[in-house]
Amino acid sequence: MRNYKSPLSFIIGVCIGFHFFHNNVYQLIRSPSSNPRFDWRAYKPVVQVNHTGGHQKAPDPAQPRILCWIMTGPKYLEGRTRHVRDTWARHCDVALFMSSEETDFPTVGLNVSEGRDQLYWKTIRAFQYVHRHHLHSADWFLKADDDTFVVVENLRRLLARRDTEQPLYLGRRFHPFVRQGYMSGGAGYVLSREALRRYVAALQSGLCTHNSDIEDMALGMCMEKVKVRPVDTRDRLGRHTFHHMTPEVLVPRVGRSKSRPWYLLYEHYRVVEGPGCCSDFAVTFHYVDSVHMHTLQYLTYHLRPYGYKHRYQPDPPEDEAGAPGKSSGGHPPHHRNAT
């Protein structure tokens, strides 16, 4: 009887343990935001997490601190913004979700209305809020939409040798309507601390006003007025790092229509279509739905081909005078295992 009861006890114990795991731990991991046992109200509007590969670590004082503010609205919190919060926003030093209403999501209420014609008002109010409450919480200030995916570590690399006390403005540069160009809103853009200071001061003095409903163009016009310099964010091979479309649109050569896509008419720099479109150190992609948000998170932080030695050996990020296609020593970019 002793030999019979021992295996039976073991099997009963396994069943009880599995039942506990499924009902408590697995359900929490699978859907934390909808699980009543997990109180997201404990979150504050500021999420300060330095998160890499599933493990938290102390902030590195040598790395630039990035504040990410995400433009959203009440009707998008579950379908879009929750997935931003659960993926790339955790890699920002500070993450803020800007909306027309304050909620326990949490979002910051900006006292504006919703709608496309309100996007620039929301942008103005968001940057004023960041300037008032977080000017020294970070070195750089990223604006992104709730359907933008950001590889924050690649952005840190891009910013690492730049001076936030210089008036700088980074993103995907478009050329119409503004002499020096402006950065695509969908691809996300970054302001240095000095650029943020000048922008808010210009709004306060009346030098810049709400002169258009087109958010990215209007902000670009103000950047030009206050002498904030646009930065070329392409890599040394001339490939873009900020993207206003998804990889599915930009990378394939097949299935393209014969007419030129609308966004090619806006580009400030030459664009390569197909696999050469995008830097190996891409920073953003736009029009990313909730499913692809998690797919990109997995592909970026978890998928690794065993035994593969990366073909692209980058030089350190260029300084302000750096130009794509040249290294700091004047030599061409390095390649290894190029096939």
Side-chain angles (χ1 to χ4, degrees):
M1 182 65 69
R2 182 179 301 172
N3 293 335
Y4 171 78
K5 290 179 65 176
S6 179
L8 180 60
S9 300
F10 174 78
I11 293 170
I12 292 172
V14 169
C15 292
I16 293 172
F18 177 80
H19 178 76
F20 173 83
F21 175 85
H22 183 272
N23 287 338
N24 292 274
V25 180
Y26 173 72
Q27 294 296 331
L28 178 60
I29 296 171
R30 183 177 63 85
S31 183
S33 61
S34 61
N35 194 293
R37 297 183 180 88
F38 194 90
D39 187 6
W40 281 99
R41 292 174 297 179
Y43 265 52
K44 301 300 181 186
V46 179
V47 180
Q48 293 185 306
V49 178
N50 193 313
H51 182 280
T52 303
H55 300 284
Q56 297 183 17
K57 61 180 181 179
D60 183 352
Q63 292 293 317
R65 298 171 301 161
I66 298 173
L67 180 147
C68 308
W69 73 262
I70 295 91
M71 184 185 291
T72 189
K75 69 178 182 179
Y76 297 120
L77 293 182
E78 280 303 307
R80 294 183 183 180
T81 319
R82 176 168 69 87
H83 303 283
V84 171
R85 182 190 64 191
D86 293 347
T87 56
W88 65 264
R90 295 179 177 274
H91 297 247
C92 305
D93 296 282
V94 179
L96 298 168
F97 299 92
M98 301 293 192
S99 179
S100 57
E101 301 174 3
E102 182 175 349
T103 69
D104 60 2
F105 176 80
T107 55
V108 176
L110 296 173
N111 192 28
V112 297
S113 301
E114 289 294 336
R116 290 197 62 81
D117 61 342
Q118 298 295 310
L119 293 182
Y120 191 42
W121 275 123
K122 191 178 285 187
T123 300
I124 290 172
R125 297 288 182 254
F127 275 124
Q128 288 173 331
Y129 179 92
V130 168
H131 180 269
R132 187 180 311 118
H133 297 285
H134 297 287
L135 182 62
H136 296 286
S137 300
D139 305 305
W140 300 88
F141 306 90
L142 165 72
K143 174 265 173 186
D145 289 346
D146 54 14
D147 59 349
T148 302
F149 184 85
V150 182
V151 185
V152 178
E153 290 77 7
N154 288 351
L155 179 56
R156 282 201 179 91
R157 178 185 177 273
L158 188 66
L159 299 171
R161 292 177 61 186
R162 303 187 188 278
D163 183 1
T164 191
E165 298 303 329
Q166 295 296 316
L168 304 177
Y169 171 44
L170 302 88
R172 179 66 169 251
R173 195 171 176 184
F174 285 171
H175 72 78
F177 315 121
V178 183
R179 183 177 302 173
Q180 73 173 12
Y182 65 96
M183 304 304 173
S184 161
Y189 47 79
V190 181
L191 271 60
S192 67
R193 187 181 293 122
E194 177 59 20
L196 177 59
R197 288 194 192 101
R198 293 189 184 195
Y199 179 55
V200 172
L203 292 169
Q204 185 174 2
S205 69
L207 177 62
C208 293
T209 60
H210 185 282
N211 59 342
S212 172
D213 293 338
I214 304 174
E215 161 244 334
D216 48 8
M217 183 190 72
L219 186 133
M221 288 178 172
C222 187
M223 293 292 102
E224 185 173 73
K225 285 182 180 180
V226 298
K227 295 181 171 53
V228 172
R229 301 194 303 272
V231 175
D232 185 352
T233 57
R234 295 175 297 163
D235 69 16
R236 293 188 178 277
L237 300 181
R239 301 174 301 183
H240 287 277
T241 56
F242 286 76
H243 301 287
H244 41 51
M245 293 289 171
T246 63
E248 293 92 328
V249 172
L250 297 170
V251 174
R253 294 186 188 275
V254 298
R256 293 184 177 274
S257 63
K258 294 183 179 180
S259 61
R260 284 171 61 84
W262 65 266
Y263 54 83
L264 294 182
L265 304 177
Y266 283 72
E267 295 288 355
H268 184 87
Y269 303 108
R270 183 181 70 90
V271 174
V272 175
E273 296 186 76
C277 66
C278 308
S279 173
D280 290 8
F281 292 89
V283 173
T284 67
F285 292 99
H286 188 219
Y287 295 124
V288 179
D289 62 26
S290 59
V291 172
H292 288 89
M293 195 74 67
H294 292 274
T295 302
L296 283 174
Q297 179 81 1
Y298 166 74
L299 294 174
T300 301
Y301 293 101
H302 297 282
L303 180 63
R304 295 292 183 271
Y306 177 75
Y308 175 71
K309 193 171 187 179
H310 203 282
R311 69 187 184 279
Y312 181 47
Q313 302 298 315
D315 294 310
E318 64 270 17
D319 58 21
E320 255 54 76
K326 294 182 180 179
S327 65
S328 56
H331 301 293
H334 302 295
H335 292 268
R336 190 175 301 169
N337 294 354
T339 57

